[in-house]
Amino acid sequence: MASLPDMTKHRGFPGGMPGTGVQFTIRRANPRGVTPIKALPRKARPGTKEHRIDAAFLHALWHHFGAEPFERGNLDAARLSLLFGREVVSATKEFDPLSYEAMLVIDEKVARKNFPESFDDVFEV
């Protein structure tokens, strides 16, 4: 079996949103290659289940990393892609969407505007 690329595992980060089957992290590196992070159109409107999941993921990011840059690591590419280019942006000029070591940061101003509930101390599921 080919060796998998190194991938930081964010210990203590929620694995997903309870009761939904939606994952926030992956267990191991993808043996077929790293899933790229790319800005995906977001169709979720406030008040929908999808918006609530995005808000919960952003809440977890904020309360785990705060305003500091963080490594992509084992964070789910699909979840990140729904926030990428808006609430989550590259922390460096040299961004590699195919790297588990890519550095990201929360654009707090945009995130607070689009998901104010994500910054509450407690997020009710």
Side-chain angles (χ1 to χ4, degrees):
M1 179 174 172
S3 66
L4 298 175
D6 286 336
M7 177 182 72
T8 298
K9 291 194 175 183
H10 298 293
R11 304 280 181 219
F13 194 88
M17 186 163 173
T20 65
V22 173
Q23 66 184 35
F24 291 169
T25 61
I26 58 175
R27 291 184 188 162
R28 66 190 67 80
N30 186 343
R32 293 171 297 196
V34 181
T35 303
I37 296 176
K38 58 187 175 197
L40 293 177
R42 188 169 53 226
K43 298 174 181 144
R45 302 247 188 290
T48 64
K49 176 182 172 184
E50 292 80 14
H51 179 87
R52 200 87 182 119
I53 293 168
D54 292 341
F57 182 59
L58 183 59
H59 178 268
L61 289 173
W62 179 255
H63 289 278
H64 197 81
F65 303 112
E68 296 300 314
F70 57 92
E71 193 171 319
R72 170 191 177 171
N74 70 327
L75 299 174
D76 184 68
R79 288 285 106 207
L80 283 171
S81 291
L82 289 167
L83 301 178
F84 188 71
R86 294 174 292 264
E87 297 82 15
V88 175
V89 295
S90 173
T92 62
K93 274 189 169 188
E94 304 298 321
F95 177 72
D96 182 358
L98 291 170
S99 173
Y100 288 122
E101 296 173 350
M103 294 302 290
L104 302 165
V105 67
I106 296 171
D107 183 331
E108 187 177 350
K109 184 177 179 183
V110 173
R112 283 187 183 274
K113 179 181 177 226
N114 294 342
F115 294 97
E117 66 274 33
S118 296
F119 295 87
D120 293 343
D121 287 337
V122 176
F123 190 89
E124 295 292 330
V125 178

